[in-house]
Amino acid sequence: MPSRRELANAIRALSMDAVQKANSGHPGAPLGMADIAEVLWNDYMNHNPANPNWANRDRFVLSNGHGSMLNYSLVHLTGYDLPMEEIKNFRQLHSKTPGHPEYGYAPGVETTTGPLGQGIANAVGMALAEKVLAGQFNQPDYNIIDHNTYVFLGDGCMMEGISHEACSLAGTWGLGKLTAFYDDNGISIDGEVNGWFTDDTPKRFEAYGWHVIPKVDGHDAQAVKQAVEQARAVTDKPTLICCQTIIGWGSPNKQGKESCHGAALGADEVALVRKTIGWDSPPFEIPKDIYEGWDAKAKGAKLELAWNEKFAAYQKAYPALAAELTRRSNGELPENFLEKADTFISSVDAKQEKIASRKASQNALNGFGPLLPELIGGSADLAGSNLTIWKDCKDVNAQADGNYIYFGVREFAMSAIMNGITLHGGFIPYGATFLIFSEYARNALRMAALMKIQSIFVYTHDSIGLGEDGPTHQPVEQTATLRLIPNMTVWRPCDAVESAVAWKMAIKCKEGPSSLIFSRQGLPHQQRTVEQLELIERGGYILSDCDGMPEAIIIATGSEVELAMAAAKSLNGKKIRVVSMPSTEAFDAQDDAYRESVLPSSVTARVAVEAGVTDGWIKYVGLPGKVIGINRFGESAPADLLFKEFGFTVDNVVKAVEAVL
């Protein structure tokens, strides 16, 4: 049987060889963390390489994602479907081994990492999901949901502000099944970190309420094992294991230096590493006994079989709970949910209320929430403004397994934690703040879109309509830039009905995240036929029309739809069509025939109206058209005065239409 060090050296060999072949990558972290990874994966990780999606598997997150070959080496060696050819294709076009771990490519990769700090935040979300799901489904003698979340992170993750946000929450929530291994090697890209990172990290995490194990020799397998045992013994706090390591361990000329952080070692140095660590095999060859020492397929099959047998007993004892857990784990909506959602939308239409769309959003949560036990969410300290609390909410905290999360003023961590909850499975998460503060969370939104996962981002106070708080809080470019994110679906509804439809579509959408953008000010109900009601989910539809082909088309979203309707009415004698376009992404996804029916190419006289930057609307109005928007920052004043100041008046829209006719 190979020694622990020999097993760890297989990670080192694969990592340095793959980076060398690609002539690109980060060998330092895999070489430095190989001994820690060997202990964790061989002694503690409960997983089944034959079924990467086993519901009760332990989750492993490589937050310092630049060390991706560590993750790829682990899943290859333990028996996942990641053949050696993919290791050889590291960082190459269309390979399953991209430069940073990407969700959906290699099996065993639980999340996309690389932007530092987000992996640990995702892991917090995963651990929270495990805790809440266990609270909802476990019964005496039936711990059906019972797994751990392990995360590796380095100095860069610790420096990023999101790690402060997320780890503070992890301590508050008492996530005892979260264990983080801090690769404390004192090196980042610019060199020794003591010139710019002198935090007392153990004390910092103790202050967060973590169990901290300092000064563990990360190259001593027994010391690492003892630390993990200590971590497992503490069940009411997350644990930080501070592993002191040498970056690039085994490289005679580059270990302990920034030169091995982000570049191939070089052929000569790779040869020296082989000699130093006693690795005799050629590149990309693993001895049979090493493979056997790593192989986790038999152990994984046994673990999953035991769990399946326990679940079968649970199913007999609690058939309704078992069926519900299976449904949620499979990501299926409750039976007849969409039909019930449509019934709710029809009831909203019948009320014909003038209300702020943020209030309409809360009403939708009250309508859909009782139908969706998997709905979980909250706000970044703005619940009273975002209106995210609904009538059956129960708080999530260290003691309770609820469905409402108080994130505090942590927009970035909130969004990344939501992504972790989504990736864990069993929930549909939402999180809210003011639209302007989507900027704080932007990279987590991008990561959700990159992974094509269902996180629902709720943004209120959507324009200069928030008024007196002024330009620091008035979003101008945010809606447009959210629309620029690939795979992100943005909804900016014009009334309570469109708000309910936006929620329905976000709940239904499993192919990517959604951003729901709501107003502070009241919006009037728009009259619709049954057919128009059904067309809202297409993203753009004819709200008001004329006889025959229109002479001009006004396109609007959100609060500006009211303005467009009033302008059309004022254009007596003109054949005007008003198009409400709550989601440009949904509209663009329709077939050519439908889009042509709404925006016929023969009608070139077009005006778009939206209280935001104008460039994105050129594609719909064309160069001859006009866009009434805002290409400067707002001002502090009551909303009605601001709309007049910035040209959002019926007269101005009428003049714009007359100018293009």
Side-chain angles (χ1 to χ4, degrees):
M1 178 68 184
S3 67
R4 284 193 178 277
R5 179 54 56 78
E6 288 172 324
L7 293 173
N9 285 344
I11 296 173
R12 295 185 168 102
L14 283 176
S15 297
M16 68 179 182
D17 287 343
V19 172
Q20 188 60 39
K21 185 174 186 296
N23 196 30
S24 172
H26 299 75
L31 269 63
M33 298 192 80
D35 297 304
I36 307 167
E38 188 277 324
V39 172
L40 176 63
W41 278 65
N42 281 327
D43 290 8
Y44 295 102
M45 277 282 290
N46 289 334
H47 63 113
N48 184 5
N51 182 11
N53 297 317
W54 172 35
N56 203 48
R57 70 192 181 278
D58 289 341
R59 271 65 169 178
F60 173 77
V61 175
L62 185 70
S63 190
N64 46 341
H66 52 269
S68 56
M69 269 309 305
L70 175 64
N71 208 158
Y72 301 146
S73 297
L74 287 165
V75 297
H76 170 78
L77 290 166
T78 53
Y80 286 80
D81 184 18
L82 189 70
M84 187 63 82
E85 283 305 309
E86 293 293 346
I87 302 295
K88 293 179 180 178
N89 285 333
F90 178 56
R91 287 183 164 234
Q92 303 309 302
L93 185 64
H94 302 316
S95 77
K96 292 183 178 181
T97 51
H100 291 81
E102 291 188 39
Y103 176 72
Y105 283 71
V109 172
E110 299 283 0
T111 181
T112 299
T113 57
L116 295 175
Q118 285 200 66
I120 179 62
N122 292 165
V124 170
M126 293 174 186
L128 180 65
E130 191 275 341
K131 180 173 183 174
V132 176
L133 204 65
Q136 293 178 357
F137 285 97
N138 286 357
Q139 298 296 318
D141 301 322
Y142 288 103
N143 285 332
I144 292 301
I145 303 299
D146 183 15
H147 51 266
N148 293 281
T149 302
Y150 299 108
V151 57
F152 282 8
L153 70 161
D155 290 308
C157 292
M158 289 296 193
M159 285 184 252
E160 286 286 358
I162 189 174
S163 72
H164 297 249
E165 296 181 22
C167 293
S168 171
L169 279 170
T172 299
W173 291 332
L175 300 179
K177 290 183 179 177
L178 172 64
T179 302
F181 296 82
Y182 168 34
D183 183 29
D184 183 11
N185 60 37
I187 296 291
S188 66
I189 292 176
D190 282 349
E192 295 182 9
V193 301
N194 56 18
W196 50 87
F197 183 52
T198 58
D199 296 14
D200 189 329
T201 298
K203 285 185 179 179
R204 168 186 156 193
F205 275 76
E206 286 173 1
Y208 291 155
W210 284 56
H211 170 222
V212 179
I213 306 172
K215 296 183 179 180
V216 175
D217 185 346
H219 300 297
D220 182 338
Q222 189 57 37
V224 174
K225 187 175 176 66
Q226 288 175 355
V228 178
E229 290 295 329
Q230 292 177 48
R232 291 165 66 88
V234 175
T235 59
D236 62 343
K237 296 180 179 181
T239 295
L240 178 71
I241 302 175
C242 301
C243 298
Q244 296 182 319
T245 64
I246 300 172
I247 190 172
W249 186 93
S251 173
N253 298 304
K254 295 188 177 184
Q255 70 176 22
K257 302 175 182 178
E258 66 272 18
S259 58
C260 68
H261 173 93
L265 297 176
D268 292 343
E269 190 69 12
V270 166
L272 288 175
V273 174
R274 275 185 155 72
K275 184 177 181 181
T276 300
I277 68 175
W279 188 263
D280 298 327
S281 300
F284 303 108
E285 288 189 17
I286 304 295
K288 181 180 179 182
D289 63 332
I290 298 291
Y291 268 132
E292 290 173 349
W294 272 105
D295 192 351
K297 292 192 293 293
K299 177 185 174 184
K302 185 178 179 181
L303 286 168
E304 185 172 356
L305 177 61
W307 185 84
N308 287 340
E309 291 172 350
K310 181 188 288 188
F311 185 78
Y314 174 80
Q315 202 167 24
K316 288 182 179 179
Y318 303 97
L321 281 175
E324 179 69 3
L325 178 58
T326 299
R327 177 190 70 78
R328 287 171 56 174
S329 297
N330 291 337
E332 300 168 355
L333 290 174
E335 187 177 1
N336 300 324
F337 169 77
L338 295 177
E339 291 84 352
K340 292 176 181 178
D342 288 338
T343 299
F344 173 79
I345 291 166
S346 295
S347 72
V348 173
D349 185 54
K351 289 180 181 178
Q352 301 190 12
E353 289 183 297
K354 178 178 180 177
I355 58 175
S357 55
R358 61 171 173 158
K359 179 61 179 175
S361 168
Q362 185 179 49
N363 292 344
L365 284 169
N366 279 317
F368 297 149
L371 308 176
L372 288 169
E374 58 264 54
L375 192 66
I376 187 171
S379 172
D381 202 51
L382 288 167
S385 295
N386 298 148
L387 302 183
T388 45
I389 296 177
W390 49 286
K391 60 187 176 184
D392 291 328
C393 282
K394 179 183 176 185
D395 295 354
V396 170
N397 53 47
Q399 290 77 39
D401 53 300
N403 57 5
Y404 191 82
I405 304 170
Y406 290 90
F407 287 102
V409 188
R410 302 179 179 93
E411 297 87 357
F412 195 4
M414 173 182 72
S415 304
I417 287 169
M418 287 166 55
N419 291 344
I421 293 172
T422 304
L423 290 161
H424 178 278
F427 294 99
I428 298 175
Y430 68 91
T433 185
F434 289 170
L435 176 57
I436 194 71
F437 301 131
S438 65
E439 297 292 345
Y440 282 135
R442 181 57 59 113
N443 202 256
L445 274 62
R446 186 176 188 273
M447 297 294 276
L450 181 61
M451 292 187 278
K452 301 179 182 178
I453 60 173
Q454 185 184 27
S455 293
I456 302 175
F457 303 105
V458 179
Y459 299 119
T460 67
H461 297 61
D462 69 342
S463 70
I464 56 172
L466 72 86
E468 292 87 344
D469 278 343
T472 61
H473 284 56
Q474 292 168 1
V476 173
E477 74 276 22
Q478 282 66 33
T479 299
T481 57
L482 286 171
R483 290 177 180 137
L484 292 175
I485 302 175
N487 306 323
M488 175 71 75
T489 301
V490 180
W491 291 86
R492 186 173 183 251
C494 76
D495 65 0
V497 177
E498 286 190 359
S499 298
V501 172
W503 265 108
K504 171 195 167 185
M505 298 306 290
I507 290 165
K508 181 181 175 182
C509 181
K510 303 291 184 180
E511 299 79 35
S514 299
S515 290
L516 309 184
I517 299 176
F518 300 117
S519 72
R520 178 196 185 194
Q521 71 274 25
L523 306 180
H525 171 79
Q526 299 296 332
Q527 296 291 336
R528 299 175 182 84
T529 65
V530 173
E531 181 185 15
Q532 286 174 315
L533 200 63
E534 294 173 350
L535 291 174
I536 294 172
E537 60 187 60
R538 291 196 171 208
Y541 63 102
I542 301 169
L543 182 61
S544 174
D545 210 1
C546 56
D547 293 330
M549 188 64 68
E551 297 175 64
I553 299 174
I554 308 174
I555 310 166
T557 78
S559 52
E560 289 71 68
V561 169
E562 175 188 10
L563 193 61
M565 293 290 283
K569 189 175 180 180
S570 295
L571 285 158
N572 293 323
K574 300 295 183 182
K575 299 171 72 172
I576 307 298
R577 172 178 292 180
V578 176
V579 171
S580 178
M581 194 175 289
S583 175
T584 59
E585 296 80 17
F587 180 74
D588 290 347
Q590 304 306 311
D591 59 42
D592 291 344
Y594 178 76
R595 286 185 283 118
E596 177 67 19
S597 72
V598 175
L599 298 176
S601 53
S602 60
V603 181
T604 58
R606 301 182 186 183
V607 173
V609 191
E610 185 176 64
V613 294
T614 59
D615 284 3
W617 289 104
I618 300 300
K619 66 185 284 190
Y620 299 105
V621 302
L623 292 177
K626 288 189 175 295
V627 183
I628 298 174
I630 305 175
N631 290 315
R632 51 157 286 193
F633 295 118
E635 293 189 28
S636 178
D640 56 343
L641 296 180
L642 288 173
F643 278 115
K644 184 180 292 186
E645 173 71 16
F646 285 96
F648 292 94
T649 65
V650 173
D651 286 346
N652 203 33
V653 177
V654 169
K655 289 177 182 177
V657 174
E658 290 174 341
V660 298
L661 281 170

